[in-house]
Amino acid sequence: MSDQFDRDIKRAGTNSTKFDGRLGTFGNANVMPLWVADMDFAAPVEVTHALIERATHPIYGYTLFPESLYQSLIDWVWLRYHWKIEREWIIFSPGVVPSLTATIMSLTQAGEQVIIQPPVYFPFFSAVTKTERQLILNPLHLEQGRYTIDFDQLEQIGTNARILLFCSPHNPVGRVWNKSELAQLIEIANKHNWVIISDEIHADLVYPENQHHPLASLTENPENIITAIAPSKTFNIPGLHLSALIVPNKAHRAAITHFFDIIHVSAANPFSIVAFETAYRKGATWLDELMFYLKNTRDHVNAYLTEHLPEIHLIKPEGTYLLWLDCRALHMNDKQLKHFFVHEAEVGLSPGALFGNNGSGFMRMNIGTPRHNIMAALENIRKAYNRVKIRSGRIL
């Protein structure tokens, strides 16, 4: 089953951000690109075949969202999570990040407070600051190699907040929040009358020992919970730009829809629609095989670091194909870390500082690539670190 994920597919020269953007991002076009959160695996063959079939019709005009598209999403979340959503709750959008910004602008005024929980996906910061809302931080706690929510601090800072921007599963730290944590979050949000925007784009990418619970499925009254979801990360089709907001509250739906109408945004791309629906209809087996493969890669990385490079500690993820590496024992500042990985090891990772101040000293690694690439990258890092220690006069 792993053969399809072990296959190298040439992406350089295809205008790939991950590969063709290396020089502009790192100043080194030779780094192994393990940064941007897309995968180097072929999408499910059913998706490719459906796209080819659609392309044979030679007119690519303005397109409606078919009812079958809505139903594919309704069926997927029911089959995977036993969450019953209504067709009228669904708003399609051209990506999760634009929809987060649109929702903030639709439901708040300039100057109002939005809470985020760093270290967190960096567009969360700009979605707040670039819309002139007030950014409130509820940093996660790292305790014995596992991140938790600081509920006491959240209670204290949330009195005047309007929105909590929540990441579940969490990028970059890899937490899959359990029912107890989610219930406590809902309780606090209800107490302060927050709207929670729950970014669940990584929901399907959860390792077998864990279970994702859609936040809105855990309450009988989900009116103040808006869920962002997409097949883009799950099935490696992010370049097709189609996601959905699940919005139970009628007034919230009207406000968000009105905002999209004002800026004349339409997500109705004929190819995006085909890929979205086909992935949810026919991609479940591919996804199960993917998660088996990624789990083995994750565990290989953990074993390698423990044996050969204990100065780098893996915060073992419960979900996502993103690894959060604690590099603080390398005794480098963030500038030195970046130089080390890019120019010494020639491995392109995402610096932890991008995800907030408490990401300092960490790096994010994308393991959505054939496993031999990951193991080669780890070898590069080990050899580079040994060279650095020799130059600095430290005993190996």
Side-chain angles (χ1 to χ4, degrees), residues 59-101:
I59 298 175
Y60 315 117
Y62 296 118
T63 306
L64 298 172
F65 294 123
E67 285 303 312
S68 58
L69 182 71
Y70 289 90
Q71 196 61 46
S72 70
L73 177 57
I74 291 168
D75 291 345
W76 180 263
V77 298
W78 173 251
L79 289 170
R80 302 295 287 202
Y81 308 111
H82 302 291
W83 179 27
K84 181 174 174 52
I85 64 173
E86 304 295 332
R87 186 258 189 235
E88 64 193 38
W89 295 357
I90 300 170
I91 301 173
F92 289 111
S93 64
V96 166
V97 173
S99 69
L100 301 180
T101 301

Side-chain angles (χ1 to χ4, degrees), residues 197-257:
I197 307 173
S198 186
D199 175 0
E200 301 188 14
I201 195 171
H202 293 277
D204 303 317
L205 299 165
V206 171
Y207 296 105
E209 61 267 28
N210 299 99
Q211 174 64 48
H212 173 74
H213 303 284
L215 184 68
S217 72
L218 299 180
T219 175
E220 294 181 357
N221 181 17
E223 289 283 298
N224 279 337
I225 300 175
I226 296 171
T227 306
I229 192 171
S232 52
K233 301 296 184 189
T234 304
F235 300 104
N236 202 31
I237 51 174
L240 292 175
H241 295 290
L242 181 58
S243 69
L245 290 172
I246 301 172
V247 190
N249 186 301
K250 184 177 180 180
H252 293 166
R253 287 199 305 274
I256 296 166
T257 301

Side-chain angles (χ1 to χ4, degrees), residues 14 41 48 65 88 158 185 284 288 300 332 370:
T14 65
F41 306 132
T48 301
F65 294 123
E88 64 193 38
L185 193 73
D288 292 341
H300 273 73
M332 301 179 189

Side-chain angles (χ1 to χ4, degrees), residues 239-292:
L240 292 175
H241 295 290
L242 181 58
S243 69
L245 290 172
I246 301 172
V247 190
N249 186 301
K250 184 177 180 180
H252 293 166
R253 287 199 305 274
I256 296 166
T257 301
H258 179 64
F259 180 84
F260 281 132
D261 288 343
I262 289 173
I263 59 175
H264 299 283
V265 165
S266 171
N269 178 302
F271 293 102
S272 301
I273 289 170
V274 166
F276 186 112
E277 181 173 347
T278 304
Y280 279 148
R281 291 287 185 208
K282 299 180 179 180
T285 298
W286 181 93
L287 174 60
D288 292 341
E289 293 174 0
L290 169 72
M291 292 313 301
F292 180 81

